[in-house]
Amino acid sequence: MLALLLASAHVRVVRRFTTPPSLEEIVALADEALAWAAERLPERLAGILDGVHILVEEMPDDETVAELGLENPWDLTGLWRGEPMTQRSVAHPPTTPPAILLYRLPILAEWIETEVSLPALVRNVLIHEIAHQVGFSDAEIERLEREE
């Protein structure tokens, strides 16, 4: 399975997307989104982004689709892997580092269907996955996703 780990250096994507971006370009968009999130998310998310890896894969694998009970793998644009923040404990540290998986092809399909800008869509998927880990409601997540 092809996956790319988000680089720590911030890369700015300057092209307008009129053709499907590569995995590397999705990684760059995710990097920008993570920097945006780190500056703007509420205090109750402070520290959640420390040590979180961002991975970009083409599609969710069959095991993930089955685990989530999905009928259609195209419905999954992102997924948090690792122990949710709401279940972490100092006495029992997580066994694997947290990661947010972004699925390139489902993101591109949603981009085409919704006509939302690709940077905004990647940011929304990333914010959605982060916010669910600390118990944000769907309404709170929608508010965060609308912020520019």
Side-chain angles (χ1 to χ4, degrees):
M1 171 120 354
L2 183 58
L4 296 173
L5 184 60
L6 176 68
S8 61
H10 294 289
V11 177
R12 199 141 224 350
V13 175
V14 293
R15 81 170 232 211
R16 289 188 182 266
F17 291 100
T18 56
T19 60
S22 67
L23 284 166
E24 292 82 6
E25 289 168 316
I26 297 289
V27 168
L29 290 173
D31 189 31
E32 287 182 6
L34 196 60
W36 179 92
E39 292 175 5
R40 291 174 180 82
L41 289 177
E43 274 188 48
R44 75 189 229 204
L45 289 180
I48 190 175
L49 300 178
D50 294 340
V52 173
H53 298 284
I54 306 296
L55 303 171
V56 179
E57 298 180 355
E58 290 291 325
M59 288 290 293
D61 59 32
D62 293 338
E63 182 180 320
T64 299
V65 171
E67 175 186 327
L68 296 174
L70 298 174
E71 292 182 25
N72 187 348
W74 291 90
D75 292 337
L76 188 61
T77 55
L79 180 67
W80 179 282
R81 283 284 185 201
E83 195 169 348
M85 293 295 291
T86 56
Q87 297 174 8
R88 288 189 188 173
S89 158
V90 175
H92 302 295
T95 56
T96 59
I100 297 173
L101 292 149
L102 300 177
Y103 298 108
R104 178 180 169 269
L105 294 177
I107 287 172
L108 294 180
E110 187 172 328
W111 174 47
I112 291 166
E113 290 173 10
T114 63
E115 297 182 8
V116 171
S117 78
L118 190 56
L121 180 58
V122 169
R123 185 187 68 227
N124 288 351
V125 172
L126 190 75
I127 296 302
H128 188 94
E129 295 308 319
I130 293 167
H132 267 307
Q133 295 312 303
V134 292
F136 270 41
S137 69
D138 286 335
E140 289 173 305
I141 292 172
E142 286 177 23
R143 183 186 54 76
L144 285 172
E145 291 174 343
R146 283 192 305 270
E147 289 183 11
E148 294 294 330

